[in-house]
Amino acid sequence: MKVLVTGSAGFIGFHLVNFLINRGDEVTGIDNINDYYDVNLKYGRLKETGILLKDIEYGKTLRSLKYPNYQFIKVDITDHEELKQIFKINDFDAVCNLAAQAGVRYSLTNPKAYLDSNIIGFLNILECCRMNKIKHLVYASSSSVYGLNEEMPFSVSHSANHPVSIYAASKKSNELMAHAYSHLFNIPTTGLRFFTVYGPWGRPDMALFIFTKGILENKAIDVYNQGNMKRDFTYIDDIIDGIIKVIDNPAKSDPNWNGLKPESSTSKVPYRVFNIGRGQSVNLIDFITQIEENTGIFAQKNFLPLQSGDVIETWADIESIKNQLNYNPKVSVPEGVKKFVKWYKEFYGNHNASTALKEAIVY
């Protein structure tokens, strides 16, 4: 297939690109390489796929130095004109939209960034899919959409109408917008509600990265809600396995859908939403214990109250994607944390994070 991956310099996007190009698909990656977190990590990921910083210019198509079936373009999905040209030239079969302004806590102080990228940018993606008759649009939603819902585990059939952050509201909006386009233009769309993704090349603003860095540097780590938090931590390889299964099986209309008793995760049009998680809720303190065991260092913990916009627990009901697409997460939390800590130590060594990243990039 010819696949467009937006957010290809991001954590999940980078791993997805690697999988697709290694199985032989023709892949185009786009990313605006914003500075929400250290851009050097994004450039480091790009280098792994054969794209060098010194060659990157806005709007310029770069062919990978490692993979003849991969090209990268620095572009922002809010740039509708550039986006239209990319779609027109490449004739994509499928699109996986992972480009978004991420992070719950950042949305408390920078809400406009979420409207620009997650609403306007997503609308541009939908419009380009409409104009180019894309066969399947897969897009990132989030477990954050469940908000104040306390019924566990979170099911795609549950209500997701009470978000507690602008980030979550923007992701729920994506699902509604996608349904409208599936209804109006018969575009197959699948939304993926990701549950706390972790692994090598992960985001520096996520718990595992923050905790590992702090522990190795003998600094106190902030633990919110006095440690009384649970997350459905899901290893990146399992996430990618789920995304691939979804890309390869476009959404279809649900013949059993009933407008008198509407199921929220499917429709009479080619639209669906899946949870992608491990299907287990893990205590944050137990997660930190795994990091301590793999670093050999006891963490200094700074216990703090619950932050606004945070939820106390996430836990994915993954029966829907299991039954429909044979999704089966395999990597346990102890195994996943071990792999991440090993990568972190090898990548950063005795350097601090910023220095190691800069040394990893060919300018």
Side-chain angles (χ1 to χ4, degrees), residues 198 278 287 290 293-294 331-340:
Y198 73 98
R278 177 159 172 76
F287 191 70
Q290 291 297 324
E293 289 181 1
N294 281 281
V331 183
S332 67
V333 167
E335 182 183 355
V337 171
K338 181 179 181 179
K339 288 182 177 182
F340 174 82

Side-chain angles (χ1 to χ4, degrees), residues 219-232:
K219 295 179 181 177
I221 58 173
D222 291 339
V223 182
Y224 292 98
N225 201 41
Q226 313 304 322
N228 299 313
M229 306 269 280
K230 290 184 176 181
R231 290 290 182 268
D232 193 332

Side-chain angles (χ1 to χ4, degrees), residues 133-246:
K133 296 181 170 46
I134 298 300
K135 296 169 185 151
H136 193 195
L137 168 62
V138 180
Y139 61 94
S141 185
S142 169
S143 61
S144 297
V145 301
Y146 291 106
L148 292 178
N149 178 20
E150 296 180 0
E151 186 179 356
M152 297 288 170
F154 291 145
S155 167
V156 289
S157 298
H158 290 171
S159 168
N161 297 320
H162 300 87
V164 295
S165 68
I166 287 295
Y167 169 69
S170 72
K171 288 300 185 179
K172 178 62 178 178
S173 297
N174 286 173
E175 296 177 5
L176 299 174
M177 293 163 71
H179 185 273
Y181 270 71
S182 292
H183 173 74
L184 293 170
F185 308 111
N186 203 39
I187 302 170
T189 65
T190 304
L192 304 177
R193 293 175 178 172
F194 294 127
F195 282 71
T196 316
V197 188
Y198 73 98
W201 294 97
R203 279 171 31 202
D205 63 319
M206 298 293 284
L208 179 56
F209 202 110
I210 292 171
F211 292 161
T212 301
K213 183 176 186 294
I215 290 170
L216 287 173
E217 294 177 0
N218 290 308
K219 295 179 181 177
I221 58 173
D222 291 339
V223 182
Y224 292 98
N225 201 41
Q226 313 304 322
N228 299 313
M229 306 269 280
K230 290 184 176 181
R231 290 290 182 268
D232 193 332
F233 293 103
T234 314
Y235 191 69
I236 185 63
D237 289 1
D238 289 328
I239 290 290
I240 297 304
D241 178 60
I243 297 175
I244 293 298
K245 284 180 165 59
V246 168

Side-chain angles (χ1 to χ4, degrees), residues 54-115:
K54 66 182 181 64
D55 299 323
I56 297 174
E57 297 176 17
Y58 190 86
K60 178 183 177 182
T61 300
L62 295 176
R63 183 62 61 178
S64 168
L65 299 176
K66 291 183 179 180
Y67 304 100
N69 56 329
Y70 179 55
Q71 62 182 12
F72 173 79
I73 309 163
K74 180 180 179 180
V75 72
D76 197 308
I77 61 171
T78 62
D79 189 338
H80 195 202
E81 293 305 313
E82 284 284 349
L83 207 57
K84 283 197 298 185
Q85 287 302 309
I86 292 170
F87 271 78
K88 182 178 179 180
I89 293 169
N90 289 281
D91 191 27
F92 300 117
D93 297 304
V95 174
C96 187
N97 182 54
L98 300 173
Q101 179 56 60
V104 169
R105 290 166 190 160
Y106 187 72
S107 72
L108 304 181
T109 54
N110 298 272
K112 188 175 182 299
Y114 293 78
L115 298 181

Side-chain angles (χ1 to χ4, degrees), residues 298-331:
F298 182 76
Q300 305 170 51
K301 304 175 186 72
N302 182 25
F303 290 101
L304 298 169
L306 184 70
Q307 277 203 324
S308 297
D310 264 353
V311 294
I312 293 174
E313 182 177 6
T314 64
W315 178 12
D317 180 337
I318 56 175
E319 288 306 305
S320 177
I321 190 171
K322 269 188 170 183
N323 293 336
Q324 293 185 47
L325 301 180
N326 198 31
Y327 170 69
N328 184 29
K330 298 179 175 64
V331 183

